[in-house]
Amino acid sequence: MNYWLMKSEPDVFSFEDLKARPGQREPWDGVRNYQARNFMRDEMKIGDRILFYHSNTNPPGVAGIAEVASEPYPDPTAFDPKSKYFDPKSDAEKPRWMLVDVKYQADLNRLVSLEEMKGMAGLEDMRAIQRGNRLSITPVTKQEFAAIQKAGMRQS
DNA sequence: GCCAACGTTGGC
DNA sequence: GCCAACGTTGGC
């Protein structure tokens, strides 16, 4: 099993929003970065665990645990001229953007903030917490995932 | 709202 | 294929 960190702006789509969706699942649409797409298209497997991270909010941090819930498939928003994610260079014959469905998996007792993660032992190499990192999907090691989930289960 | 970081675009 | 200009992300 692989582990991931996926960012979302809670004003746009939060962990609570995911829990409230029918089936508690949602297509992870709108990714328009090739590295992030390649992770979804080439490396994600159903059942992979996800740290659901809230960005562009105060404080930013990991809000809950999700999982990969589908095989990769073309991002339909790329074909929709009315979508803000519309990409005229993507077509159904040769779709440029692929996504997976993401599903709620478990709650944390509290948010694990970016600030806290930066101070945690064992997370020094985590790409998601490096300064200047903008990639919305990054791989996480099993140990990093476990440390963050454990921190989030501790009552503060 | 500022701005550093960095991915993408397009002229050459 | 280089690289300057531009746009976006996201912490602060």
Side-chain angles (χ1 to χ4, degrees):
Chain A
M1 183 184 310
N2 290 317
Y3 300 86
W4 308 94
L5 181 143
M6 296 173 80
K7 295 184 197 171
S8 185
E9 300 189 24
D11 289 348
V12 178
F13 188 75
S14 70
F15 186 65
E16 292 71 31
D17 292 332
L18 178 65
K19 285 180 73 173
R21 280 300 142 104
Q24 298 185 310
R25 57 191 287 154
E26 180 77 358
W28 203 259
D29 60 19
V31 169
R32 296 295 178 266
N33 170 284
Y34 290 104
Q35 270 185 277
R37 177 206 65 184
N38 292 349
F39 285 138
M40 290 197 285
R41 186 189 64 188
D42 305 332
E43 298 192 35
M44 284 191 181
K45 296 278 177 284
I46 291 175
D48 281 2
R49 293 296 150 88
I50 299 162
L51 299 169
F52 195 113
Y53 179 91
H54 284 172
S55 65
N56 236 314
T57 188
N58 190 18
V62 173
I65 309 296
E67 64 185 8
V68 175
S70 78
E71 302 290 333
Y73 62 95
D75 183 342
T77 64
F79 310 136
D80 178 4
K82 293 192 294 295
S83 169
K84 64 181 278 206
Y85 302 122
F86 177 60
D87 181 354
K89 285 176 267 187
S90 183
D91 61 71
E93 316 294 292
K94 274 201 108 192
R96 173 179 295 201
W97 303 111
M98 305 287 282
L99 53 68
V100 297
D101 289 351
V102 164
K103 186 180 178 190
Y104 165 79
Q105 206 270 326
D107 286 316
L108 298 175
N109 288 322
R110 60 184 183 84
L111 184 95
V112 182
S113 72
L114 174 63
E115 184 185 21
E116 180 177 355
M117 287 192 277
K118 284 179 171 171
M120 280 171 62
L123 303 189
E124 294 82 5
D125 296 332
M126 238 183 94
R127 181 155 180 196
I129 65 174
Q130 307 300 320
R131 172 190 166 83
N133 169 68
R134 299 187 305 151
L135 193 57
S136 65
I137 301 176
T138 46
V140 172
T141 68
K142 182 176 185 166
Q143 291 76 17
E144 290 162 348
F145 184 95
I148 291 165
Q149 183 167 28
K150 188 175 165 195
M153 293 315 289
R154 265 200 311 271
Q155 302 289 351
S156 44

